[in-house]
Each structure stands twice: as C-alpha cells, then as structure tokens.
Amino acid sequence: LTDYLLLGMEFGGLNAYTENEAFPGELQSYYVSGLEFGVFGKAVFPVEETFLWTLGLGLIGVTTSDAEYHLAGTGGGTLVQTYKGTAAGVKIMGGGEWFLTPYMAVGAEIGYRYAKIEEVTDRDETVRWVNGDGSNFTIDYSGPYGQGGIRVYF
C-alpha cells in the first residue's frame, strides 16, 4: 500500500496433536492435519535498500477434513475415523526479508497463532465427536510457529 505498509494473502498446511478421552480411562491421541488461509497486514521497517524488518497481524481461517486409520481388532479390518471442522483465528508475526529483485524476496518469520476448532464432526457432518465427559472434542492449532520461504510481490 505504501513504503511502510503491506497487505497480503497466505495459504499453508498445519498439523495439530490432540488427545481425546473417548471413554473414562481410554486416552486416544491423534495428529490431525489442516489448512490455514487468511489475510495479513504488516508494518515495514526498511534497514537498507534490499533488506527490511516486518511486524504484522493476520486474520485466518483454519479447516480440517482429515482421516485417521486404526486396526479394528484381530480380524485385520481397518476402522476409519474422519474429522471435519472450521474456525477463525489470529496471528501476530515478526520477520525479515532480503530482496533478490524488486518483486522477489527471501524471508523468515516467527509468530504466534491462535486457532482452535471447537466443534468437530465426521466428514458427513452426521456425528459430532465428544470426549467421554460429554465435552466437545477440539482440535487446537494454536502455538508459536516459524516459517521461511520466497515471497513474490505484485
């Protein structure tokens, strides 16, 4: 937008570790993948012509439609549990970018993401997953993160 403010869009993959107590004393653990998409605004602090620091805030959406595969007893069959849910979240971030050309940079960023799916269903949305105590099974993608890569400017 200006020499000191930029807006952007992002899309990326996520992975969350979560636990569910389906029945009292039976703790199940899962790694559930998801997708993150959103928009962000960053304040830009140029240090020299080809390097800058950034500080930003993002509004994101997260979604999952993942499946877990488990052996079903001694018969050798497979039990498939599917998870579906969405949530809105926020990110705060800080990083730096070194420009290779006026439209391409190599950058790195660290930050904190808050995004928690509070209600999870099966893929057909016919079953709502709950814990043994009746509370909602949740998937929490919150936490610190770091990323790096090539940035392209239009």
Side-chain angles (χ1 to χ4, degrees):
L1 292 177
T2 71
D3 289 343
Y4 302 101
L5 181 63
L6 66 89
L7 294 178
M9 297 183 307
E10 63 182 335
F11 178 80
L14 297 172
N15 199 18
Y17 172 80
T18 190
E19 293 181 339
N20 175 23
E21 189 173 346
F23 303 100
E26 182 186 326
L27 189 64
Q28 299 172 335
S29 58
Y30 307 94
Y31 286 97
V32 183
S33 63
L35 296 174
E36 172 188 332
F37 51 92
V39 296
F40 60 84
K42 293 182 182 178
V44 177
F45 305 98
V47 176
E48 55 186 59
E49 192 172 309
T50 59
F51 184 79
L52 54 86
W53 293 108
T54 61
L55 185 61
L57 178 66
L59 300 175
I60 61 172
V62 295
T63 184
T64 188
S65 185
D66 202 10
E68 286 281 331
Y69 298 88
H70 307 280
L71 292 178
T74 58
T78 303
L79 171 67
V80 180
Q81 292 178 314
T82 59
Y83 304 97
K84 183 175 183 179
T86 59
V90 295
K91 289 170 63 170
I92 56 171
M93 62 202 82
E97 297 183 21
W98 179 58
F99 280 83
L100 305 171
T101 74
Y103 301 103
M104 187 181 306
V106 175
E109 173 177 290
I110 59 170
Y112 186 85
R113 172 190 306 109
Y114 176 80
K116 186 174 185 179
I117 298 175
E118 298 281 349
E119 185 173 301
V120 180
T121 65
D122 69 337
R123 193 169 287 155
D124 297 326
E125 298 181 353
T126 57
V127 175
R128 182 174 59 96
W129 295 109
V130 295
N131 294 312
D133 64 2
S135 63
N136 280 350
F137 175 71
T138 62
I139 301 173
D140 194 353
Y141 292 105
S142 302
Y145 73 92
Q147 66 185 25
I150 296 175
R151 314 276 166 74
V152 179
Y153 291 86
F154 298 98

